[in-house]
Amino acid sequence: MIINLFLLLISTTNNLISDCPEIITKQGWGGRPAKNVTSMATPVPYVVIHHSATSPCTTTASCISAMQEIQNYHMDIKGWDDIGYNFVIGGDGRVYEGRGWKVVGAQAPKYNDKSIGICLIGDFTEKLPMRSQLRGAKSLMKCGVEEKFLDETYVLFGHREVRPTECPGDVLFEEIRKWPHKGSPKKL
């Protein structure tokens, strides 16, 4: 009993001190195991922002379903080893683990092994994501720096800046242009 209370106190204290949001693990959202995993050295110098270009999700149950659909599409249709993104932010404001901090993604050719890919669920061509999604993405990046997964001088850019695509949608792209660390990718 005393040990459990001590562990709860430590956990609560760490959450108060840390800027890290709660991250729903792949197991927590019912994700399939990856077919193959390639480790990535951290800290990485880049963050790539995406949108799923799908319907939004607003509840944890609908976001879990969306995560499973995205993973199935990436693995079964595109033939990838796993969901492409490192993290996904749902309309419920929660952060969902994709490949995580230390695994190479499949989300931005030539940058996969040196970036964290963050996808916001929804189509942001004509409207902004929910505020909770924007806060979740910013909090996750701050956490990445704090935990040394992201370089302190990381550069943030939209998916469209590294390949021909509409992603992350016009309105979200305009929004991230105002964020700290926004820059342009280097030619690789």
Side-chain angles (χ1 to χ4, degrees):
M1 175 77 166
I2 292 175
I3 293 173
N4 287 342
L5 287 173
F6 180 72
L7 292 174
L8 178 62
L9 178 62
I10 289 172
S11 170
T12 304
T13 304
N14 285 341
N15 285 339
L16 292 175
I17 295 170
S18 173
D19 287 317
C20 296
E22 176 188 6
I23 297 173
I24 309 303
T25 64
K26 186 186 278 188
Q27 182 179 14
W29 57 264
R32 295 159 48 187
K35 296 177 196 171
N36 187 34
V37 174
T38 303
S39 295
M40 179 168 63
T42 58
V44 295
Y46 303 110
V47 172
V48 183
I49 300 292
H50 303 262
H51 73 163
S52 63
T54 62
S55 297
C57 63
T58 56
T59 65
T60 300
S62 65
C63 290
I64 285 172
S65 178
M67 288 296 297
Q68 293 168 349
E69 289 172 17
I70 293 168
Q71 186 186 41
N72 289 341
Y73 174 71
H74 286 178
M75 293 178 79
D76 300 338
I77 305 302
K78 291 195 167 255
W80 296 349
D81 290 333
D82 198 355
I83 190 169
Y85 313 113
N86 298 90
F87 296 96
V88 181
I89 316 292
D92 60 350
R94 299 182 90 173
V95 177
Y96 294 85
E97 178 186 44
R99 294 189 183 204
W101 292 113
K102 294 185 171 190
V103 177
V104 173
Q107 42 87 27
K110 297 185 181 179
Y111 290 87
N112 288 328
D113 63 346
K114 58 185 75 40
S115 69
I116 295 296
I118 301 173
C119 177
L120 284 69
I121 297 177
D123 184 334
F124 305 112
T125 303
E126 297 181 3
K127 65 178 183 172
L128 272 175
M130 298 179 91
R131 286 185 185 159
S132 59
Q133 286 179 286
L134 299 175
R135 278 193 306 268
K138 289 176 182 179
S139 178
L140 183 65
M141 290 182 286
K142 191 171 185 179
C143 170
V145 170
E146 180 181 291
E147 298 295 324
K148 310 244 184 285
F149 297 120
L150 288 176
D151 189 279
E152 290 178 358
T153 61
Y154 74 88
V155 177
L156 166 76
F157 45 89
H159 187 208
R160 65 176 56 182
E161 294 177 277
V162 297
R163 69 174 311 168
T165 178
E166 301 275 324
C167 184
D170 292 341
V171 177
L172 178 55
F173 183 70
E174 287 304 313
E175 171 65 21
I176 67 170
R177 291 177 68 174
K178 303 173 202 167
W179 291 6
H181 296 272
K182 178 63 184 91
S184 296
K186 293 181 180 177
K187 295 281 184 189
L188 298 179

